[in-house]
Every structure is written in C-alpha cells, then in structure tokens.
Amino acid sequence: MAPVAPMDRQAVHDGYERARQEFHRLLDAASEQDLARPTCGTRWDNRELLWHMLFGYLVVRSLLGLVRVSGRLPRGVSRVFARLLEGVTVPFDLVNYAGPRGAVKVFSLHRMGVTFDRVTDSLHRRLAAEPESDLGRGMHFPVRWDPFFADFMTLADVYRYPTQHFEFHRRQLTLSGPRQ
C-alpha cells in the first residue's frame, strides 16, 4: 500500500450533506410532469435518473467492502478481476439501464428520500470510523463501467465517488419548478 495524502474527510461529509439537501429539494419541487420528462443525455426520465443518483450512494456501501478485501490482496488480483468485469460491460450496461426503470415502480419519492437519508447517514458513520491507514488501500476498477471509475481507486476515492456521480447526473435533470 503506497502512502497517500490525508483525506479531507470534512469535505466528503459536506458533499454528502449538500447532495442530501439537494436531493430532497429536487424531490419536493418536482411535479409529476417534471418527473416524466426525458433527461438530457440519458435514456431515462427524471424520476429514473433521480433513482440512479440515489443508487450511486447505495452501491458505495458494497464497493467499500470489496475495496477493503481487495486492498489486502496483491494488486494483480484486482487487475484481473477488473478486466473480467470489463468483459461483461454490455450486460452491465443493460442492467444499469433497466434497474432504474424497474426501481421507480416500487420506490416512491418518499421512499427514495428516506433511503437517501439512511445511506448518507451510514456513509457518514463509516467514513468517521475509517482508520486513516486504510484509506490508501485500493483496487483496480472496470473503467468502462462509469466515467468516475479510475483504473485504480482507494477507499478515499470510493468515499468521494457518490457525490461526483450525483453532481454529474444533477446537470442532466430537466426539472423545472415546484410541484403543482
């Protein structure tokens, strides 16, 4: 494990809170017409993209465990794993697209908001308890799966990931105003 500069934990916590507040603001202001409107640059509507933005935070909980385990193995193991995942990018893209389409059928806006609160609370607690020495552990990632995946990512990078993902997709929403 290579030494890394200390992580600005407060900046990550602040990013989670800004995203949480913005997510609730978006949910509270969106009309049904807004939610059904196509987004800019995706094949989802706004409701589906909002769920995908939430999913970016949900997936991090699993990624943290994966990085903790892989970070203790020789780097070649995660490099091979990442290349195997690159080989199934097409099926991944299909599941990644279809997931939000199905999820919004069972996740109400209220449930999405509650889930966002729970997952960000969980990430706050995990980050606060994370030993500084572990934040430099990392693994190789399938870079074709997400524009914010780097070839090698540390735990610190993974903690920063969901807010980067959120902010990127926030710009693709086409919501216009308060609920009617």
Side-chain angles (χ1 to χ4, degrees), residues 7-9 11-16 56-57 59-65 67-68 119-132 134-137 141 148-149 153-165:
M7 176 185 185
D8 184 351
R9 292 176 195 241
V12 176
H13 287 297
D14 292 347
Y16 292 168
Y57 284 85
V59 75
V60 164
R61 292 186 307 184
S62 297
L63 290 176
L64 290 171
V67 173
R68 276 190 198 93
V119 72
T120 53
D121 286 346
S122 170
L123 291 173
H124 279 303
R125 286 190 305 275
R126 288 176 184 212
L127 177 56
E130 196 75 62
E132 191 70 33
D134 285 356
L135 290 171
R137 292 188 186 282
F141 273 73
F148 297 104
F149 283 176
M153 293 177 67
T154 64
L155 276 175
D157 296 328
V158 174
Y159 275 111
R160 287 187 286 263
Y161 164 80
T163 302
Q164 294 170 324
H165 178 263

Side-chain angles (χ1 to χ4, degrees), residues 37-46 49 168-175:
R37 188 176 302 122
T39 57
C40 181
T42 81
R43 296 185 302 163
W44 292 312
D45 64 27
N46 284 315
L49 185 54
F168 172 79
H169 286 303
R170 169 63 185 97
R171 293 186 295 273
Q172 295 177 311
L173 291 169
T174 57
L175 301 171

Side-chain angles (χ1 to χ4, degrees), residues 13-99:
H13 287 297
D14 292 347
Y16 292 168
E17 282 309 302
R18 276 191 312 276
R20 180 200 312 245
Q21 291 170 7
E22 177 67 0
F23 194 73
H24 281 283
R25 190 192 69 69
L26 293 166
L27 294 178
D28 291 344
S31 68
E32 284 302 317
Q33 294 82 10
D34 281 335
L35 293 168
R37 188 176 302 122
T39 57
C40 181
T42 81
R43 296 185 302 163
W44 292 312
D45 64 27
N46 284 315
R47 183 186 312 266
E48 293 160 348
L49 185 54
L50 284 165
W51 191 90
H52 179 76
M53 292 161 66
L54 162 62
F55 187 72
Y57 284 85
L58 291 169
V59 75
V60 164
R61 292 186 307 184
S62 297
L63 290 176
L64 290 171
L66 185 61
V67 173
R68 276 190 198 93
V69 171
S70 291
R72 297 182 189 288
L73 300 172
R75 280 197 183 185
V77 173
S78 72
R79 184 177 295 115
V80 168
F81 182 62
R83 297 312 164 250
L84 288 171
L85 293 176
E86 289 276 348
V88 295
T89 297
V90 171
F92 167 81
D93 287 343
L94 292 170
V95 170
N96 190 43
Y97 168 70

